[in-house]
Amino acid sequence: MKVKVLLILTFFIWSCADRASKSENKIEWAIALHGGAGNIVPEDYSQDQREAYLHELNNALDIGKNILAGGGTSLDAVEQVIRYLEDCPLFNAGKGAVFTHDGRNELDAAIMDGNGLRAGAVAGVGDIKNPISAARLVMDKSEHVFLVGKGASKFAASQGAEIVDSSYFFTEKSWKSLQKVLANETLKNKKMGTVGCVTLDKYGDLAAGTSTGGMTNKRYGRIGDVPVIGAGTYANNNTCAVSATGHGEFFIRFTVSHDISTLMEYKGLSLEQSADLVIHNKLEKVGGKGGIIAVDKFGNIILTMNTSGMFRAFANSKGEQGVSIFKE
Ligand code: ASP
C-alpha cells in the first residue's frame, strides 16, 4: 500500500514539474515585421542610413512587443506597428509611398484576423493617412472585405479615419526615384518597399497586416498583391499568419500567403518547409522576387526572402529577438 501511495505521489510531482516546464517553454506571444525586400546590398547603405532603418524597425518592434506582452490583441499590435511604419518616410507605405507613372500616390493595405478568417482591405487610395486603419475599419465596420479608390476613402472618412491632402505623401526620395525610372523605363525598380506585421497573441489568435505604396511608376490603376487576401496577406488560426513583400504580380498569381497556409493545413508541412517551398522553389523558378514574414500557431517565426535583403525584425515572449537588413 505504502509503495502504491509513493508511486502515485511521485507521478503527481513529476507531471506537475513536466507541465510547469512545458508552460515555461511555451511561446505565449510572437511578432515579426518587415519594411520591404529587394536588391538591398550593404554597399548601397551608409552607416548612418543603416542605423536609421534599424532604429525605426526597433521602435516598431517595441510598439508591438509592448502591446502583446501587456495582454493586447494580435490585431491591435499589427495595426499599431503598421501605423508607425506608415508614418515613417523611410518605408514605401503611408507617408513614404512611391509615385505612380502619373506622379500620384495610390496606396494599398490589408489586415486579416486568423480567428474567424475576417479580413479588410483598401486599394488605390490617395488621401487616407493610415491605410491599415482604413482596412481594419472595412473589416470591423462594414459588411464588405475589399474597398477601392474614392469609395474606400468615403467609407474611411465616414468612420473617422484621418484624411489628408494628397501632398502629404510627397517625399523627395520617392519623387527622385520616379524621375530616375522615367528617365530610363527599362530600369527595374531595384528596391521594393512595403511594410507588414504578423503576430500571435496570448489568446492564441494570429493576425497579419500589410501596407504599401505599390511599385514606382505603376500605371492604369495597378493594384498589387498587398490588399489581395491570400496573396500578400493571410492569417488563419489553424496554421499561420503571413505578410509578403516583393513583385506583386507574382505573389498574386501564386497566391503566396494562402499557399503557405494550405501547405501546412493539407500537407502537414511545417511553417519553415512551406515557406521554403513557396519562396525558394515555386517563386524562385519563375523569377518572382520577394520575401515573407510569418508566424505559426505555436509562435514559430520565419523571415525569408529570395532577394539580397529585407528590412525585418522579430521578437517573442521567450526574450528571443533580432533586427536585420541584409541576407546573412
Ligand atoms: N508587393 C508590393 C506590390 O507589388 C511591392 C513591394 O512589396 O515592394 O505592390
Side-chain angles (χ1 to χ4, degrees), residues 34-38 92 98 108 189 191-195 210-216 218 222-227 232 244-252 289-291:
H34 71 77
N92 171 20
V98 296
D108 307 334
N189 185 22
K191 187 173 73 66
M192 296 169 214
T194 298
V195 303
T210 320
S211 180
T212 190
M215 292 176 94
T216 299
K218 64 183 181 181
R222 179 264 190 192
I223 289 167
D225 58 314
V226 165
T245 171
H247 195 153
E249 280 66 12
F250 288 88
F251 283 69
I252 294 174
K289 292 286 179 199

PDB file of all heavy atoms in Angstrom, residues 34-38 92 98 108 189 191-195 210-216 218 222-227 232 244-252 289-291, ligand 1:
ATOM      1  N   HIS A  34       8.209  43.520 -41.298  1.00  0.00           N
ATOM      2  CA  HIS A  34       9.148  43.809 -42.381  1.00  0.00           C
ATOM      3  C   HIS A  34       8.928  45.211 -42.927  1.00  0.00           C
ATOM      4  O   HIS A  34       7.859  45.804 -42.747  1.00  0.00           O
ATOM      5  CB  HIS A  34       9.062  42.765 -43.497  1.00  0.00           C
ATOM      6  CG  HIS A  34       7.814  42.838 -44.320  1.00  0.00           C
ATOM      7  ND1 HIS A  34       7.623  43.785 -45.294  1.00  0.00           N
ATOM      8  CD2 HIS A  34       6.681  42.086 -44.326  1.00  0.00           C
ATOM      9  CE1 HIS A  34       6.446  43.609 -45.862  1.00  0.00           C
ATOM     10  NE2 HIS A  34       5.849  42.586 -45.277  1.00  0.00           N
ATOM     11  N   GLY A  35       9.965  45.697 -43.588  1.00  0.00           N
ATOM     12  CA  GLY A  35       9.886  47.018 -44.216  1.00  0.00           C
ATOM     13  C   GLY A  35      10.264  46.930 -45.675  1.00  0.00           C
ATOM     14  O   GLY A  35      10.804  47.876 -46.249  1.00  0.00           O
ATOM     15  N   GLY A  36      10.018  45.747 -46.284  1.00  0.00           N
ATOM     16  CA  GLY A  36      10.264  45.581 -47.708  1.00  0.00           C
ATOM     17  C   GLY A  36      11.482  44.740 -48.014  1.00  0.00           C
ATOM     18  O   GLY A  36      12.441  44.715 -47.247  1.00  0.00           O
ATOM     19  N   ALA A  37      11.408  44.027 -49.142  1.00  0.00           N
ATOM     20  CA  ALA A  37      12.542  43.216 -49.608  1.00  0.00           C
ATOM     21  C   ALA A  37      12.961  43.733 -50.979  1.00  0.00           C
ATOM     22  O   ALA A  37      12.240  44.484 -51.613  1.00  0.00           O
ATOM     23  CB  ALA A  37      12.127  41.750 -49.727  1.00  0.00           C
ATOM     24  N   GLY A  38      14.116  43.320 -51.436  1.00  0.00           N
ATOM     25  CA  GLY A  38      14.566  43.723 -52.767  1.00  0.00           C
ATOM     26  C   GLY A  38      16.057  43.613 -52.893  1.00  0.00           C
ATOM     27  O   GLY A  38      16.709  42.917 -52.095  1.00  0.00           O
ATOM     28  N   ASN A  92       8.172  52.371 -47.989  1.00  0.00           N
ATOM     29  CA  ASN A  92       7.206  52.575 -49.059  1.00  0.00           C
ATOM     30  C   ASN A  92       5.795  52.172 -48.601  1.00  0.00           C
ATOM     31  O   ASN A  92       5.254  51.144 -48.999  1.00  0.00           O
ATOM     32  CB  ASN A  92       7.641  51.757 -50.288  1.00  0.00           C
ATOM     33  CG  ASN A  92       6.583  51.743 -51.373  1.00  0.00           C
ATOM     34  OD1 ASN A  92       5.703  52.598 -51.408  1.00  0.00           O
ATOM     35  ND2 ASN A  92       6.651  50.756 -52.256  1.00  0.00           N
ATOM     36  N   VAL A  98       5.562  55.343 -52.736  1.00  0.00           N
ATOM     37  CA  VAL A  98       6.196  55.679 -54.021  1.00  0.00           C
ATOM     38  C   VAL A  98       5.171  56.341 -54.959  1.00  0.00           C
ATOM     39  O   VAL A  98       3.966  56.321 -54.685  1.00  0.00           O
ATOM     40  CB  VAL A  98       6.794  54.425 -54.701  1.00  0.00           C
ATOM     41  CG1 VAL A  98       7.919  53.845 -53.864  1.00  0.00           C
ATOM     42  CG2 VAL A  98       5.709  53.388 -54.996  1.00  0.00           C
ATOM     43  N   ASP A 108      -2.207  50.822 -51.027  1.00  0.00           N
ATOM     44  CA  ASP A 108      -2.977  49.588 -50.775  1.00  0.00           C
ATOM     45  C   ASP A 108      -2.661  49.062 -49.366  1.00  0.00           C
ATOM     46  O   ASP A 108      -1.515  49.168 -48.924  1.00  0.00           O
ATOM     47  CB  ASP A 108      -2.553  48.461 -51.738  1.00  0.00           C
ATOM     48  CG  ASP A 108      -2.605  48.846 -53.212  1.00  0.00           C
ATOM     49  OD1 ASP A 108      -3.393  49.737 -53.571  1.00  0.00           O
ATOM     50  OD2 ASP A 108      -1.851  48.234 -53.994  1.00  0.00           O
ATOM     51  N   ASN A 189      12.803  48.698 -60.984  1.00  0.00           N
ATOM     52  CA  ASN A 189      12.820  49.280 -59.651  1.00  0.00           C
ATOM     53  C   ASN A 189      13.609  48.338 -58.733  1.00  0.00           C
ATOM     54  O   ASN A 189      13.141  47.270 -58.386  1.00  0.00           O
ATOM     55  CB  ASN A 189      11.371  49.436 -59.152  1.00  0.00           C
ATOM     56  CG  ASN A 189      11.316  50.152 -57.839  1.00  0.00           C
ATOM     57  OD1 ASN A 189      12.232  50.874 -57.488  1.00  0.00           O
ATOM     58  ND2 ASN A 189      10.230  49.940 -57.130  1.00  0.00           N
ATOM     59  N   LYS A 191      14.819  48.519 -55.537  1.00  0.00           N
ATOM     60  CA  LYS A 191      14.442  48.253 -54.161  1.00  0.00           C
ATOM     61  C   LYS A 191      12.925  48.308 -54.032  1.00  0.00           C
ATOM     62  O   LYS A 191      12.302  49.246 -54.494  1.00  0.00           O
ATOM     63  CB  LYS A 191      15.055  49.298 -53.243  1.00  0.00           C
ATOM     64  CG  LYS A 191      14.847  48.976 -51.768  1.00  0.00           C
ATOM     65  CD  LYS A 191      15.603  49.935 -50.894  1.00  0.00           C
ATOM     66  CE  LYS A 191      14.973  51.304 -50.848  1.00  0.00           C
ATOM     67  NZ  LYS A 191      13.664  51.382 -50.212  1.00  0.00           N
ATOM     68  N   MET A 192      12.346  47.293 -53.444  1.00  0.00           N
ATOM     69  CA  MET A 192      10.906  47.322 -53.238  1.00  0.00           C
ATOM     70  C   MET A 192      10.643  47.901 -51.855  1.00  0.00           C
ATOM     71  O   MET A 192      11.563  48.213 -51.127  1.00  0.00           O
ATOM     72  CB  MET A 192      10.337  45.943 -53.393  1.00  0.00           C
ATOM     73  CG  MET A 192      10.531  45.434 -54.813  1.00  0.00           C
ATOM     74  SD  MET A 192      10.172  43.712 -54.952  1.00  0.00           S
ATOM     75  CE  MET A 192      11.302  43.144 -56.152  1.00  0.00           C
ATOM     76  N   GLY A 193       9.399  48.010 -51.514  1.00  0.00           N
ATOM     77  CA  GLY A 193       9.127  48.650 -50.232  1.00  0.00           C
ATOM     78  C   GLY A 193       8.147  47.837 -49.440  1.00  0.00           C
ATOM     79  O   GLY A 193       8.368  46.661 -49.234  1.00  0.00           O
ATOM     80  N   THR A 194       7.086  48.468 -49.024  1.00  0.00           N
ATOM     81  CA  THR A 194       6.019  47.770 -48.312  1.00  0.00           C
ATOM     82  C   THR A 194       6.390  47.484 -46.860  1.00  0.00           C
ATOM     83  O   THR A 194       7.536  47.169 -46.551  1.00  0.00           O
ATOM     84  CB  THR A 194       5.667  46.433 -49.024  1.00  0.00           C
ATOM     85  OG1 THR A 194       5.187  46.736 -50.327  1.00  0.00           O
ATOM     86  CG2 THR A 194       4.648  45.629 -48.291  1.00  0.00           C
ATOM     87  N   VAL A 195       5.392  47.574 -45.997  1.00  0.00           N
ATOM     88  CA  VAL A 195       5.615  47.201 -44.604  1.00  0.00           C
ATOM     89  C   VAL A 195       4.578  46.155 -44.212  1.00  0.00           C
ATOM     90  O   VAL A 195       3.487  46.107 -44.786  1.00  0.00           O
ATOM     91  CB  VAL A 195       5.523  48.426 -43.650  1.00  0.00           C
ATOM     92  CG1 VAL A 195       6.508  49.507 -44.066  1.00  0.00           C
ATOM     93  CG2 VAL A 195       4.108  48.986 -43.578  1.00  0.00           C
ATOM     94  N   THR A 210      -0.528  44.241 -43.979  1.00  0.00           N
ATOM     95  CA  THR A 210       0.475  44.705 -44.929  1.00  0.00           C
ATOM     96  C   THR A 210       0.010  46.036 -45.505  1.00  0.00           C
ATOM     97  O   THR A 210      -1.200  46.247 -45.675  1.00  0.00           O
ATOM     98  CB  THR A 210       0.652  43.679 -46.087  1.00  0.00           C
ATOM     99  OG1 THR A 210       0.615  42.350 -45.549  1.00  0.00           O
ATOM    100  CG2 THR A 210       1.967  43.871 -46.814  1.00  0.00           C
ATOM    101  N   SER A 211       0.956  46.936 -45.776  1.00  0.00           N
ATOM    102  CA  SER A 211       0.591  48.244 -46.320  1.00  0.00           C
ATOM    103  C   SER A 211       1.683  48.700 -47.281  1.00  0.00           C
ATOM    104  O   SER A 211       2.868  48.486 -47.017  1.00  0.00           O
ATOM    105  CB  SER A 211       0.437  49.249 -45.167  1.00  0.00           C
ATOM    106  OG  SER A 211       0.084  50.521 -45.660  1.00  0.00           O
ATOM    107  N   THR A 212       1.281  49.355 -48.384  1.00  0.00           N
ATOM    108  CA  THR A 212       2.282  49.703 -49.412  1.00  0.00           C
ATOM    109  C   THR A 212       1.855  50.876 -50.286  1.00  0.00           C
ATOM    110  O   THR A 212       0.654  51.189 -50.373  1.00  0.00           O
ATOM    111  CB  THR A 212       2.534  48.485 -50.336  1.00  0.00           C
ATOM    112  OG1 THR A 212       3.665  48.748 -51.163  1.00  0.00           O
ATOM    113  CG2 THR A 212       1.335  48.178 -51.210  1.00  0.00           C
ATOM    114  N   GLY A 213       2.862  51.468 -50.928  1.00  0.00           N
ATOM    115  CA  GLY A 213       2.582  52.432 -51.988  1.00  0.00           C
ATOM    116  C   GLY A 213       2.615  51.727 -53.329  1.00  0.00           C
ATOM    117  O   GLY A 213       2.419  52.339 -54.368  1.00  0.00           O
ATOM    118  N   GLY A 214       2.917  50.439 -53.319  1.00  0.00           N
ATOM    119  CA  GLY A 214       2.973  49.662 -54.560  1.00  0.00           C
ATOM    120  C   GLY A 214       4.348  49.735 -55.201  1.00  0.00           C
ATOM    121  O   GLY A 214       5.347  49.726 -54.495  1.00  0.00           O
ATOM    122  N   MET A 215       4.380  49.816 -56.517  1.00  0.00           N
ATOM    123  CA  MET A 215       5.668  49.868 -57.211  1.00  0.00           C
ATOM    124  C   MET A 215       5.809  51.187 -57.960  1.00  0.00           C
ATOM    125  O   MET A 215       4.864  51.638 -58.616  1.00  0.00           O
ATOM    126  CB  MET A 215       5.806  48.671 -58.156  1.00  0.00           C
ATOM    127  CG  MET A 215       5.934  47.361 -57.368  1.00  0.00           C
ATOM    128  SD  MET A 215       5.986  45.900 -58.408  1.00  0.00           S
ATOM    129  CE  MET A 215       7.754  45.686 -58.579  1.00  0.00           C
ATOM    130  N   THR A 216       7.001  51.796 -57.860  1.00  0.00           N
ATOM    131  CA  THR A 216       7.279  53.050 -58.555  1.00  0.00           C
ATOM    132  C   THR A 216       6.914  52.906 -60.029  1.00  0.00           C
ATOM    133  O   THR A 216       7.183  51.879 -60.640  1.00  0.00           O
ATOM    134  CB  THR A 216       8.792  53.376 -58.434  1.00  0.00           C
ATOM    135  OG1 THR A 216       9.110  53.529 -57.056  1.00  0.00           O
ATOM    136  CG2 THR A 216       9.149  54.657 -59.176  1.00  0.00           C
ATOM    137  N   LYS A 218       4.042  52.604 -61.408  1.00  0.00           N
ATOM    138  CA  LYS A 218       2.897  51.744 -61.749  1.00  0.00           C
ATOM    139  C   LYS A 218       1.862  52.585 -62.523  1.00  0.00           C
ATOM    140  O   LYS A 218       1.749  53.789 -62.314  1.00  0.00           O
ATOM    141  CB  LYS A 218       2.302  51.098 -60.501  1.00  0.00           C
ATOM    142  CG  LYS A 218       1.693  52.049 -59.484  1.00  0.00           C
ATOM    143  CD  LYS A 218       1.200  51.309 -58.234  1.00  0.00           C
ATOM    144  CE  LYS A 218       0.568  52.281 -57.251  1.00  0.00           C
ATOM    145  NZ  LYS A 218       0.097  51.628 -56.008  1.00  0.00           N
ATOM    146  N   ARG A 222      -3.057  50.158 -61.413  1.00  0.00           N
ATOM    147  CA  ARG A 222      -2.482  48.857 -61.000  1.00  0.00           C
ATOM    148  C   ARG A 222      -2.611  48.656 -59.485  1.00  0.00           C
ATOM    149  O   ARG A 222      -2.318  49.530 -58.684  1.00  0.00           O
ATOM    150  CB  ARG A 222      -1.016  48.811 -61.417  1.00  0.00           C
ATOM    151  CG  ARG A 222      -0.278  47.522 -61.043  1.00  0.00           C
ATOM    152  CD  ARG A 222       0.477  47.656 -59.738  1.00  0.00           C
ATOM    153  NE  ARG A 222       1.354  46.505 -59.511  1.00  0.00           N
ATOM    154  CZ  ARG A 222       1.951  46.265 -58.343  1.00  0.00           C
ATOM    155  NH1 ARG A 222       1.753  47.046 -57.319  1.00  0.00           N
ATOM    156  NH2 ARG A 222       2.728  45.217 -58.195  1.00  0.00           N
ATOM    157  N   ILE A 223      -3.047  47.477 -59.107  1.00  0.00           N
ATOM    158  CA  ILE A 223      -3.100  47.116 -57.688  1.00  0.00           C
ATOM    159  C   ILE A 223      -2.226  45.879 -57.508  1.00  0.00           C
ATOM    160  O   ILE A 223      -2.246  44.970 -58.336  1.00  0.00           O
ATOM    161  CB  ILE A 223      -4.563  46.851 -57.255  1.00  0.00           C
ATOM    162  CG1 ILE A 223      -5.318  48.197 -57.213  1.00  0.00           C
ATOM    163  CG2 ILE A 223      -4.629  46.165 -55.897  1.00  0.00           C
ATOM    164  CD1 ILE A 223      -6.801  48.052 -57.105  1.00  0.00           C
ATOM    165  N   GLY A 224      -1.457  45.863 -56.435  1.00  0.00           N
ATOM    166  CA  GLY A 224      -0.533  44.753 -56.211  1.00  0.00           C
ATOM    167  C   GLY A 224      -1.125  43.657 -55.352  1.00  0.00           C
ATOM    168  O   GLY A 224      -2.345  43.537 -55.180  1.00  0.00           O
ATOM    169  N   ASP A 225      -0.250  42.850 -54.798  1.00  0.00           N
ATOM    170  CA  ASP A 225      -0.664  41.689 -54.006  1.00  0.00           C
ATOM    171  C   ASP A 225      -1.104  42.037 -52.587  1.00  0.00           C
ATOM    172  O   ASP A 225      -1.869  41.295 -51.961  1.00  0.00           O
ATOM    173  CB  ASP A 225       0.502  40.695 -53.907  1.00  0.00           C
ATOM    174  CG  ASP A 225       1.733  41.345 -53.273  1.00  0.00           C
ATOM    175  OD1 ASP A 225       2.076  42.481 -53.681  1.00  0.00           O
ATOM    176  OD2 ASP A 225       2.334  40.739 -52.367  1.00  0.00           O
ATOM    177  N   VAL A 226      -0.590  43.181 -52.091  1.00  0.00           N
ATOM    178  CA  VAL A 226      -0.767  43.509 -50.671  1.00  0.00           C
ATOM    179  C   VAL A 226      -2.217  43.443 -50.182  1.00  0.00           C
ATOM    180  O   VAL A 226      -2.515  42.801 -49.170  1.00  0.00           O
ATOM    181  CB  VAL A 226      -0.120  44.888 -50.383  1.00  0.00           C
ATOM    182  CG1 VAL A 226      -0.568  45.467 -49.052  1.00  0.00           C
ATOM    183  CG2 VAL A 226       1.396  44.753 -50.430  1.00  0.00           C
ATOM    184  N   PRO A 227      -3.174  44.090 -50.909  1.00  0.00           N
ATOM    185  CA  PRO A 227      -4.552  44.068 -50.393  1.00  0.00           C
ATOM    186  C   PRO A 227      -5.337  42.836 -50.834  1.00  0.00           C
ATOM    187  O   PRO A 227      -6.507  42.690 -50.462  1.00  0.00           O
ATOM    188  CB  PRO A 227      -5.148  45.331 -51.023  1.00  0.00           C
ATOM    189  CG  PRO A 227      -4.450  45.438 -52.335  1.00  0.00           C
ATOM    190  CD  PRO A 227      -3.049  44.919 -52.124  1.00  0.00           C
ATOM    191  N   GLY A 232      -0.783  38.731 -50.716  1.00  0.00           N
ATOM    192  CA  GLY A 232       0.218  39.402 -49.880  1.00  0.00           C
ATOM    193  C   GLY A 232      -0.079  39.333 -48.395  1.00  0.00           C
ATOM    194  O   GLY A 232       0.800  39.631 -47.571  1.00  0.00           O
ATOM    195  N   ALA A 244       3.595  39.507 -47.023  1.00  0.00           N
ATOM    196  CA  ALA A 244       4.604  39.392 -48.085  1.00  0.00           C
ATOM    197  C   ALA A 244       5.091  40.752 -48.557  1.00  0.00           C
ATOM    198  O   ALA A 244       4.456  41.780 -48.336  1.00  0.00           O
ATOM    199  CB  ALA A 244       3.995  38.637 -49.260  1.00  0.00           C
ATOM    200  N   THR A 245       6.224  40.722 -49.234  1.00  0.00           N
ATOM    201  CA  THR A 245       6.733  41.892 -49.940  1.00  0.00           C
ATOM    202  C   THR A 245       7.503  41.419 -51.161  1.00  0.00           C
ATOM    203  O   THR A 245       8.219  40.421 -51.084  1.00  0.00           O
ATOM    204  CB  THR A 245       7.630  42.762 -49.042  1.00  0.00           C
ATOM    205  OG1 THR A 245       8.257  43.758 -49.869  1.00  0.00           O
ATOM    206  CG2 THR A 245       8.706  41.956 -48.321  1.00  0.00           C
ATOM    207  N   GLY A 246       7.332  42.115 -52.263  1.00  0.00           N
ATOM    208  CA  GLY A 246       8.032  41.690 -53.470  1.00  0.00           C
ATOM    209  C   GLY A 246       7.259  42.078 -54.710  1.00  0.00           C
ATOM    210  O   GLY A 246       6.368  42.943 -54.646  1.00  0.00           O
ATOM    211  N   HIS A 247       7.586  41.436 -55.808  1.00  0.00           N
ATOM    212  CA  HIS A 247       6.959  41.761 -57.088  1.00  0.00           C
ATOM    213  C   HIS A 247       5.517  41.234 -57.089  1.00  0.00           C
ATOM    214  O   HIS A 247       5.264  40.056 -57.326  1.00  0.00           O
ATOM    215  CB  HIS A 247       7.794  41.122 -58.205  1.00  0.00           C
ATOM    216  CG  HIS A 247       7.458  41.687 -59.545  1.00  0.00           C
ATOM    217  ND1 HIS A 247       8.343  41.729 -60.576  1.00  0.00           N
ATOM    218  CD2 HIS A 247       6.312  42.245 -60.021  1.00  0.00           C
ATOM    219  CE1 HIS A 247       7.762  42.285 -61.634  1.00  0.00           C
ATOM    220  NE2 HIS A 247       6.530  42.595 -61.314  1.00  0.00           N
ATOM    221  N   GLY A 248       4.588  42.148 -56.820  1.00  0.00           N
ATOM    222  CA  GLY A 248       3.202  41.792 -56.526  1.00  0.00           C
ATOM    223  C   GLY A 248       2.523  40.869 -57.520  1.00  0.00           C
ATOM    224  O   GLY A 248       1.736  40.006 -57.133  1.00  0.00           O
ATOM    225  N   GLU A 249       2.812  41.060 -58.812  1.00  0.00           N
ATOM    226  CA  GLU A 249       2.123  40.270 -59.832  1.00  0.00           C
ATOM    227  C   GLU A 249       2.379  38.767 -59.605  1.00  0.00           C
ATOM    228  O   GLU A 249       1.486  37.943 -59.748  1.00  0.00           O
ATOM    229  CB  GLU A 249       2.582  40.699 -61.233  1.00  0.00           C
ATOM    230  CG  GLU A 249       1.898  41.980 -61.758  1.00  0.00           C
ATOM    231  CD  GLU A 249       2.236  43.256 -61.000  1.00  0.00           C
ATOM    232  OE1 GLU A 249       3.177  43.254 -60.187  1.00  0.00           O
ATOM    233  OE2 GLU A 249       1.537  44.265 -61.214  1.00  0.00           O
ATOM    234  N   PHE A 250       3.604  38.431 -59.241  1.00  0.00           N
ATOM    235  CA  PHE A 250       3.936  37.021 -58.959  1.00  0.00           C
ATOM    236  C   PHE A 250       3.232  36.534 -57.693  1.00  0.00           C
ATOM    237  O   PHE A 250       2.756  35.404 -57.633  1.00  0.00           O
ATOM    238  CB  PHE A 250       5.449  36.849 -58.777  1.00  0.00           C
ATOM    239  CG  PHE A 250       6.220  36.978 -60.061  1.00  0.00           C
ATOM    240  CD1 PHE A 250       6.666  38.214 -60.495  1.00  0.00           C
ATOM    241  CD2 PHE A 250       6.480  35.860 -60.834  1.00  0.00           C
ATOM    242  CE1 PHE A 250       7.365  38.342 -61.684  1.00  0.00           C
ATOM    243  CE2 PHE A 250       7.177  35.972 -62.028  1.00  0.00           C
ATOM    244  CZ  PHE A 250       7.626  37.222 -62.455  1.00  0.00           C
ATOM    245  N   PHE A 251       3.174  37.398 -56.698  1.00  0.00           N
ATOM    246  CA  PHE A 251       2.567  36.998 -55.421  1.00  0.00           C
ATOM    247  C   PHE A 251       1.056  36.798 -55.560  1.00  0.00           C
ATOM    248  O   PHE A 251       0.465  35.980 -54.858  1.00  0.00           O
ATOM    249  CB  PHE A 251       2.895  38.018 -54.321  1.00  0.00           C
ATOM    250  CG  PHE A 251       4.301  37.857 -53.805  1.00  0.00           C
ATOM    251  CD1 PHE A 251       5.395  38.176 -54.595  1.00  0.00           C
ATOM    252  CD2 PHE A 251       4.534  37.363 -52.529  1.00  0.00           C
ATOM    253  CE1 PHE A 251       6.696  38.005 -54.139  1.00  0.00           C
ATOM    254  CE2 PHE A 251       5.830  37.175 -52.058  1.00  0.00           C
ATOM    255  CZ  PHE A 251       6.908  37.507 -52.865  1.00  0.00           C
ATOM    256  N   ILE A 252       0.461  37.524 -56.524  1.00  0.00           N
ATOM    257  CA  ILE A 252      -0.973  37.310 -56.790  1.00  0.00           C
ATOM    258  C   ILE A 252      -1.155  35.981 -57.525  1.00  0.00           C
ATOM    259  O   ILE A 252      -1.960  35.142 -57.121  1.00  0.00           O
ATOM    260  CB  ILE A 252      -1.568  38.457 -57.646  1.00  0.00           C
ATOM    261  CG1 ILE A 252      -1.559  39.779 -56.871  1.00  0.00           C
ATOM    262  CG2 ILE A 252      -2.999  38.118 -58.081  1.00  0.00           C
ATOM    263  CD1 ILE A 252      -1.992  40.985 -57.691  1.00  0.00           C
ATOM    264  N   LYS A 289      10.469  37.752 -57.407  1.00  0.00           N
ATOM    265  CA  LYS A 289      11.370  38.219 -56.347  1.00  0.00           C
ATOM    266  C   LYS A 289      10.604  38.760 -55.138  1.00  0.00           C
ATOM    267  O   LYS A 289       9.642  39.516 -55.287  1.00  0.00           O
ATOM    268  CB  LYS A 289      12.259  39.353 -56.892  1.00  0.00           C
ATOM    269  CG  LYS A 289      13.252  38.872 -57.929  1.00  0.00           C
ATOM    270  CD  LYS A 289      14.362  38.116 -57.240  1.00  0.00           C
ATOM    271  CE  LYS A 289      15.390  37.560 -58.180  1.00  0.00           C
ATOM    272  NZ  LYS A 289      16.165  36.483 -57.561  1.00  0.00           N
ATOM    273  N   GLY A 290      11.078  38.398 -53.957  1.00  0.00           N
ATOM    274  CA  GLY A 290      10.462  38.951 -52.761  1.00  0.00           C
ATOM    275  C   GLY A 290      10.688  38.086 -51.537  1.00  0.00           C
ATOM    276  O   GLY A 290      11.558  37.200 -51.538  1.00  0.00           O
ATOM    277  N   GLY A 291       9.908  38.333 -50.526  1.00  0.00           N
ATOM    278  CA  GLY A 291      10.055  37.575 -49.290  1.00  0.00           C
ATOM    279  C   GLY A 291       8.790  37.628 -48.457  1.00  0.00           C
ATOM    280  O   GLY A 291       7.805  38.284 -48.829  1.00  0.00           O
TER     281      GLY A 291
HETATM  282  N1  ASP B   1       4.327  43.826 -53.181  1.00  0.00           N
HETATM  283  C1  ASP B   1       4.215  45.229 -53.422  1.00  0.00           C
HETATM  284  C2  ASP B   1       3.433  45.444 -54.689  1.00  0.00           C
HETATM  285  O1  ASP B   1       3.644  44.721 -55.642  1.00  0.00           O
HETATM  286  C3  ASP B   1       5.527  45.926 -53.528  1.00  0.00           C
HETATM  287  C4  ASP B   1       6.550  45.562 -52.520  1.00  0.00           C
HETATM  288  O2  ASP B   1       6.364  44.719 -51.679  1.00  0.00           O
HETATM  289  O3  ASP B   1       7.589  46.177 -52.558  1.00  0.00           O
HETATM  290  O4  ASP B   1       2.656  46.349 -54.749  1.00  0.00           O
END
